[in-house]
Amino acid sequence: MSVLAHGIGAQHDLPLSPFYAFAGAFAALFVSFLALGLLWSASRFRGDEAGRPLPHALQRLADARPTRTAARLLGLAAALYVTLFLLLGPDDPDRNPGPGAVYVLLWVGLVPASLLLGPVWRALNPLRTVHLLACRALRRDPAAGRPLPARLGLWPAAAGLFAFTWLELVSPDPASTGDLLLFLTLYSAVHLAGAARHGDGWFDRADAFEVYSGLLARLSPLGRRPTDRRLVLRSPFNGLDATPQRPGLVATVCVMLGSTAYDGFSDSPSWITTVQTSPLGRTAAATLGLLGAVVLVAALYALCAGAVRLISGRLDHPLTAFAHSLVPIALGYLVAHYFTLFVTEGPRTLMVAAGTDGPAPPEPPLGPGGVATLQVASIVLGHVLGVVAAHDRSVRLFPPGRAVAGQLPLLVLMVTYTIGGLSLLIA
């Protein structure tokens, strides 16, 4: 099933020297850490307060009712189109574009879309549109409902992301139209019920794809000031700095990181043999593997946060204080693992949807060497951006004498994640 052939296929035979890959990564991390410690002594990021306002004409176009309506109709039409393919089309991903639309165009396509345009899934989300239409029919305010408990945070989104990645990476037949329909039906029912009870604010925190798109959009150059809702051009670091410190944020980012890491090693011969020979059975063993990858990522971060608290001496919530620095790392992993999948299977899915029978995917735009370079650069750059985000937060929260020392556990964490990420590519 080519739709599920994540990564670049023969990623274990990339034309890349492990020595140069690791040496370059460590040099980039240590040099950036030392430079920041010497030259960056005060916080420079201003979060949502930063940004240059875009022209009023562009603002009016973006906020116009026809624009918002067109986005809603586009999202709803695409959802109906995919549903019809899953209901009526053949149970074969080479002839049915439904699985590719979900796993490639939606899941992977949200990455570049959110980076370029901001939290696009909020505008396209068909579940929001269904909820809005139902509220209008009932003459009810879409925002009306019971307040969401603050402690709930993003935990429903983390659970939804884990469920989706389990379907994609663990379930016996991820491309089965029946399994996809069952998942999408249950997912829709849960979130429409949540919105009916809590209002459309439910989607902001609980919808896995909205939260996923929103976190990636923190690195977009487009943003909105919360005070006046103005569209602004901003440094991605300011968007990242404004990430709300909600419960479940760490869990959500760790699911993004851990599931991508699991996807990286799940096709290794040793893991395939382990899963196939496990007395627990293939699905149970793979489920434990996915869960273990997420738990390992979270445990390493928790250890780091505990060390940061000991060094700082006064930081009350280190887990959420530095969770935003994991977002660019997750983005680097996503680009490294799914770039080739998107540029080959994305067009093939569109060709199948247009009626082409069994089209071959286009050749990747980069050769093996170019792909290897892109993968390593994505992972290293993601970690360097994480170091910068963590440093700026450190000099804001820690006393001057402890700002650099307080980041040492974070640097060790970044190095550990880098070793793991590069090992998955070149092992």
Side-chain angles (χ1 to χ4, degrees):
M1 281 176 285
S2 59
V3 167
L4 303 177
H6 289 172
I8 65 163
Q11 66 181 18
H12 302 289
D13 298 316
L14 290 178
L16 188 69
S17 165
F19 173 80
Y20 289 115
F22 283 108
F26 295 157
L29 287 173
F30 283 110
V31 169
S32 60
F33 176 78
L34 292 175
L36 290 169
L38 293 172
L39 304 175
W40 198 309
S41 59
S43 176
R44 302 183 184 184
F45 303 148
R46 296 186 292 120
D48 282 333
E49 297 177 4
R52 178 175 298 178
L54 291 172
H56 285 282
L58 189 58
Q59 174 91 33
R60 288 193 295 269
L61 176 62
D63 291 340
R65 178 173 291 183
T67 303
R68 298 197 304 269
T69 301
R72 293 190 188 110
L73 291 177
L74 176 62
L76 185 60
L80 292 174
Y81 196 54
V82 171
T83 302
L84 287 175
F85 270 118
L86 293 175
L87 279 171
L88 306 176
D91 195 8
D92 178 0
D94 290 327
R95 295 186 295 127
N96 190 327
V102 175
Y103 293 127
V104 181
L105 298 182
L106 172 60
W107 176 243
V108 184
L110 273 178
V111 177
S114 301
L115 288 176
L116 292 173
L117 302 174
V120 291
W121 193 244
R122 194 181 194 281
L124 297 171
N125 191 348
L127 297 182
R128 272 190 182 271
T129 303
V130 171
H131 173 70
L132 177 63
L133 293 174
C135 288
R136 287 182 177 176
L138 298 172
R139 297 183 179 180
R140 176 183 171 184
D141 181 3
R146 299 185 181 184
L148 282 165
R151 65 180 180 277
L152 188 66
L154 302 180
W155 281 105
L161 280 177
F162 185 84
F164 178 78
T165 53
W166 181 92
L167 176 73
E168 180 193 25
L169 304 174
V170 173
S171 63
D173 190 4
S176 165
T177 55
D179 290 352
L180 265 174
L181 276 171
L182 177 61
F183 173 83
L184 294 175
T185 300
L186 292 175
Y187 187 89
S188 300
V190 167
H191 288 289
L192 289 175
R197 181 179 177 85
H198 297 286
D200 57 11
W202 167 267
F203 297 110
D204 292 321
R205 299 193 199 176
D207 187 303
F209 298 103
E210 274 208 19
V211 172
Y212 172 71
S213 174
L215 284 174
L216 295 172
R218 289 290 167 185
L219 289 164
S220 170
L222 292 177
R224 280 188 186 269
R225 290 195 305 229
T227 52
D228 55 7
R229 304 301 298 163
R230 281 301 305 274
L231 278 174
V232 296
L233 279 177
R234 65 187 182 187
S235 162
F237 283 116
N238 283 309
L240 191 62
D241 186 65
T243 304
Q245 297 181 31
R246 290 173 175 160
L249 172 62
V250 174
T252 303
V253 180
C254 286
V255 170
M256 293 168 62
L257 276 168
S259 61
T260 309
Y262 177 80
D263 190 20
F265 72 76
S266 63
D267 66 342
S268 66
S270 59
W271 178 250
I272 292 174
T273 301
T274 299
V275 168
Q276 291 177 342
T277 59
S278 172
L280 298 174
R282 180 218 171 263
T283 302
T287 300
L288 290 177
L290 175 61
L291 182 62
V294 174
V295 170
L296 177 61
V297 169
L300 290 173
Y301 179 70
L303 286 173
C304 168
V308 168
R309 184 172 185 175
L310 287 175
I311 294 174
S312 69
R314 67 179 189 181
L315 193 60
D316 293 330
H317 303 289
L319 278 174
T320 54
F322 292 94
H324 69 301
S325 66
L326 299 182
V327 175
I329 299 174
L331 172 61
Y333 278 46
L334 289 166
V335 172
H337 283 275
Y338 297 135
F339 168 77
T340 303
L341 174 75
F342 183 65
V343 298
T344 56
E345 291 298 334
R348 194 196 72 84
T349 297
L350 294 175
M351 287 187 284
V352 174
T356 306
D357 187 21
E363 289 295 321
L366 302 175
V371 171
T373 302
L374 174 66
Q375 289 182 312
V376 173
S378 299
I379 289 178
V380 174
L381 180 60
H383 285 83
V384 171
L385 295 179
V387 168
V388 174
H391 177 83
D392 189 85
R393 185 63 57 87
S394 295
V395 297
R396 183 187 307 168
L397 297 179
F398 296 164
R402 297 185 181 181
V404 175
Q407 296 173 69
L408 289 175
L410 292 164
L411 177 64
V412 173
L413 178 72
M414 303 295 181
V415 170
T416 303
Y417 283 169
T418 302
I419 293 173
L422 293 180
S423 298
L424 293 176
L425 293 178
I426 62 181

